[in-house]
Amino acid sequence: MVQIVGTYQHVETINPEEILKAAGQEVTPQALRGISDPNSKLVVEANGDNYVFITTVGDSGYKREIKFTIGKPYDEEFKGAKVASTVVSKDGNKFVFVSTAADKITKRYYEFTDSGANMVYNGGTAAEAIRKYKRV
């Protein structure tokens, strides 16, 4: 079984503009730098079926904390005060987040391995965004 709890260092983002577009944010050089910051970290904590995913972005001071229980809907806030109803399911080492806001459904999943994690995001377009992390 893959160890999921731990700290992960961001190493690469593929198609970062897709994350921004799906979140309704403007695609600017500053926003792209933030989402691709190599000093970003992901910390995963767990207590039974209750999880906390904490993302910090470099030295910017930005911190996003997502608290959820597997299978239970929760309100997830995004930048720009957008709120989505999100449900997370878990299949082995993979967490699938399905968010619905204003009749738009977005999906992302985090898949953990012995060496790291990948977050794959699909905002309803043909292109996916991928954030790759290594375990530290």
Side-chain angles (χ1 to χ4, degrees), residues 29-70:
Q30 180 181 0
L32 288 170
R33 274 192 308 277
I35 207 161
S36 299
D37 189 323
N39 295 313
S40 297
K41 286 193 170 71
L42 169 66
V43 176
V44 178
E45 301 171 353
N47 183 5
D49 281 345
N50 300 305
Y51 288 86
V52 181
F53 283 27
I54 304 165
T55 304
T56 55
V57 178
D59 298 326
S60 71
Y62 176 77
K63 179 179 177 180
R64 182 163 189 245
E65 188 172 287
I66 303 170
K67 295 180 180 182
F68 61 92
T69 301
I70 299 297

Side-chain angles (χ1 to χ4, degrees), residues 85-97:
S85 177
T86 301
V87 177
V88 182
S89 60
K90 184 175 182 283
D91 182 14
N93 61 332
K94 188 176 185 177
F95 291 78
V96 180
F97 291 68

